[in-house]
Amino acid sequence: MTRGNQREKDRERAQARAGSKGKTKDDGLTPEQRRERDAKALQEKAAKKADGGNTAGGGAGSKNKK
């Protein structure tokens, strides 16, 4: 393969890969419905975190406590 078209071939391959696992926004919701859904999910996540949802131990902040 020549160097001249290597970049083009790579772009074609990248497009093919990106196209196969493409994420679509077509979930049948209006922007307002999507906003409400996302807000509800964030509230649930925050409530879970406030209740001590991370019981796996470790954590990013526990590494260098003195």
Side-chain angles (χ1 to χ4, degrees):
M1 184 158 68
T2 62
R3 265 206 180 284
N5 73 349
Q6 183 176 359
R7 184 178 298 146
E8 293 172 19
K9 292 282 187 183
D10 189 49
R11 284 183 182 152
E12 289 173 7
R13 288 181 57 229
Q15 277 186 334
R17 282 186 301 229
S20 65
K21 53 182 165 173
K23 203 173 181 184
T24 61
K25 288 186 174 183
D26 190 21
D27 52 3
L29 297 175
T30 65
E32 182 159 333
Q33 289 172 328
R34 192 174 298 117
R35 232 175 280 127
E36 289 173 5
R37 179 196 64 192
D38 294 347
K40 184 178 177 186
L42 286 173
Q43 287 173 350
E44 289 174 2
K45 188 175 180 180
K48 194 174 192 180
K49 189 173 184 179
D51 292 339
N54 187 7
T55 58
S62 64
K63 201 171 196 177
N64 291 325
K65 288 187 177 177
K66 289 186 178 181

